[in-house]
Amino acid sequence: TIITKKIKCSLEELYNGKIKKIKISRKVQDNSGIVRTETNILEINIKPGWKSGTKINFKGAGDILNNKPKQDIQFIIEEKPHPVFKRKGDDLRIIINLSLKEALCGTEKEIKTLDGKNLKLAIKNIISPGMIKVYKDEGMPTKYGNRGNLVIKFKILFPTELSDKQKQIIDSCLI
């Protein structure tokens, strides 16, 4: 029989890899029929790029009871939601808010990546609402040693009101 347990991992852990130590308790029965509980620590070596649903098996790590087969324990990776990035396959997605001025006149933004790097974005062209920009090889690691992409979607924050003077200035310079 198999005992299934979920193991929650942050996106950073799935990006960089990590060794997680899990404490488990199991029942062990000796030849005289006495059952005792023992605790073990299992090490799970999370590989960079693993996805939700990845299964890790430990043969015979569960209960050992007379006249029953040894139990196996299976851990299933479950990705915790991330406050900034969303994962889609091997790609990472992010929404960046721009003011209307930044969208029209350009700006620089900085994104802190999951490996701690600061990725500088120089926005020089006009950005339309919903526009997408793709940065190759800045996404999740793959088992083949490549990386997915970083997909940036821009959200333009329009002002809620303009003064008469601001309207005149905009009107005079836009076609």
Side-chain angles (χ1 to χ4, degrees):
T1 58
I2 296 177
I3 299 171
T4 303
K5 297 179 183 262
K6 291 185 177 178
I7 180 169
K8 291 184 182 266
C9 296
S10 70
L11 198 52
E12 287 85 354
E13 290 169 335
L14 295 173
Y15 183 92
N16 296 302
K18 181 174 182 154
I19 294 176
K20 280 202 175 218
K21 295 181 182 204
I22 311 288
K23 186 176 184 179
I24 60 153
S25 295
R26 69 178 183 172
K27 295 179 187 141
V28 178
Q29 188 173 26
D30 64 21
N31 291 336
S32 64
I34 296 172
V35 176
R36 68 186 196 294
T37 301
E38 65 179 34
T39 56
N40 283 331
I41 294 183
L42 301 176
E43 278 193 4
I44 299 175
N45 185 10
I46 296 165
K47 305 272 191 232
W50 275 5
K51 296 175 170 68
S52 277
T54 300
K55 296 175 181 170
I56 307 99
N57 296 312
F58 289 89
K59 292 246 181 247
D63 293 344
I64 302 173
L65 302 172
N66 295 343
N67 303 320
K68 291 190 176 177
K70 285 184 178 180
Q71 285 183 325
D72 298 335
I73 298 180
Q74 181 180 75
F75 291 95
I76 300 174
I77 299 290
E78 188 175 279
E79 183 182 306
K80 293 184 209 171
H82 193 274
V84 176
F85 295 100
K86 298 263 184 274
R87 182 179 187 175
K88 188 167 185 185
D90 295 324
D91 292 343
L92 290 173
R93 297 178 175 269
I94 186 173
I95 294 174
I96 292 186
N97 294 327
L98 296 177
S99 69
L100 183 57
K101 178 182 172 185
E102 290 172 325
L104 294 174
C105 301
T107 187
E108 283 191 12
K109 293 285 182 178
E110 199 168 88
I111 298 172
K112 190 169 187 85
T113 60
L114 293 174
D115 57 358
K117 291 188 318 193
N118 288 322
L119 183 65
K120 291 184 192 269
L121 307 176
I123 300 167
K124 294 181 168 66
N125 299 326
I126 293 174
I127 302 293
S128 318
M131 192 170 181
I132 291 175
K133 188 166 182 159
V134 176
Y135 285 81
K136 294 240 179 255
D137 302 322
E138 291 291 344
M140 292 297 289
T142 69
K143 60 183 171 185
Y144 306 110
N146 303 326
R147 290 199 183 279
N149 298 321
L150 175 61
V151 180
I152 300 170
K153 183 175 183 180
F154 293 98
K155 181 178 177 185
I156 312 303
L157 305 174
F158 283 82
T160 53
E161 54 187 59
L162 294 171
S163 68
D164 288 340
K165 185 175 182 182
Q166 288 172 317
K167 288 178 186 178
Q168 287 174 348
I169 293 169
I170 292 170
D171 189 55
S172 70
C173 63
L174 291 180
I175 300 171

